Amino acid sequence: MSTYKEQIDKQRIPQHIAIIMDGNGRWAKKMGNQRIFGHQNGVTSVREVTEAAAELGIKFLTLYAFSTENWNRPADEVNALMDLLVKTIEAETPTLAKNNVRLLTIGDITRMPNQTAQRLQQCIEQTKHNTGLSLVLALSYSSRWEMTNAIQNMVQDAVNQKLSPNDISEEVIANYLATKSMPDPELLIRTSGEYRISNFLLWQIAYTELYFTEVLWPEFRKEDLYQAIVNYQSRERRFGKTSEQVTQ
Ligand code: FPP
């Protein structure tokens, strides 16, 4: 029996994979522990998928680490998550640098605590010339925030006569989004058996293949990523055309 890794077609590796990391709290409860224990263990899964993605030559890996709505969680959980984020980024920056990984963020960083934002900025700065995998952390991110922000900027540019209604195309809109200069994800994975998009990359996933797994995020390992990629590669992406058109 071959492993999922062996079944991957190296010629058809997705350029961009996005992941909704879910199930940390439920996993912690299952282990008889506090929610933060789940987030702490989720870091191991982040490390695993980052390493696997870099090894496979994937260009972009976008992880939904903290949504706009997550600000509404109890303050002690929010603080613990911010703390975990800073500590993880600090500890992992040398490894990212060594492995040619570039860190990027999408989201409303102005809402993050100063110290968290500064550390993130330092890591972004230190890895900005790396040409391998781009690890994109969605932090204080939601699609509706992103679209609202984009529309505000477009209207501002229109007021300043830098943009007129006839200029507005799909490409122009994409350039006002936080993901500008990133390809759309070919594959979106959500863990923990929830079948929702939760305000994540709504514009960008128009033609993305969706993959849902029961695995809780702290238990997600490289082999789970390989399985998702093998499943993705078994699908026929038609982009609105007929099967005959895309297979010719
Ligand atoms: C969802 O599980 C997970 C989060 C909201 C946070 C994800 C954060 C990490 C994995 C750790 C830090 C990340 C990085 C990038 C260093 P949940 O809490 O919603 O779980 P539940 O649905 O079971 O309650």
Side-chain angles (χ1 to χ4, degrees), residues 21-26 35 39 42-43 46 64-65 70 73 77 81 84-85 88 137 217:
M21 309 182 285
D22 197 9
N24 292 353
R26 275 164 286 161
R35 295 180 57 80
H39 300 316
V43 173
V46 169
Y64 206 3
N70 286 153
R73 289 194 176 191
E77 184 173 342
L81 267 169
L84 183 62
L85 201 66
T88 307
L137 298 184
W217 181 250

Side-chain angles (χ1 to χ4, degrees), residues 116-132:
T116 316
Q118 275 170 18
R119 295 290 155 82
L120 275 167
Q121 206 44 53
Q122 280 167 3
C123 182
I124 291 169
E125 199 53 40
Q126 281 172 33
T127 61
K128 73 178 180 193
H129 297 302
N130 291 347
T131 54

Side-chain angles (χ1 to χ4, degrees), residues 2-72:
S2 65
T3 63
Y4 286 113
K5 189 176 187 186
E6 287 162 354
Q7 293 173 46
I8 294 175
D9 176 353
K10 301 275 183 338
Q11 307 306 314
R12 293 192 300 124
I13 298 280
Q15 280 193 83
H16 184 178
I17 297 181
I19 307 183
I20 302 176
M21 309 182 285
D22 197 9
N24 292 353
R26 275 164 286 161
W27 182 82
K29 197 171 170 192
K30 203 174 81 174
M31 306 299 283
N33 233 308
Q34 304 284 323
R35 295 180 57 80
I36 187 64
F37 184 69
H39 300 316
Q40 284 161 349
N41 281 274
V43 173
T44 306
S45 309
V46 169
R47 205 176 289 124
E48 284 254 326
V49 292
T50 306
E51 204 177 287
E55 285 164 1
L56 287 172
I58 288 162
K59 297 307 287 178
F60 292 88
L61 175 67
T62 301
L63 303 179
Y64 206 3
F66 194 86
S67 73
T68 306
E69 291 74 22
N70 286 153
W71 288 116
N72 300 323

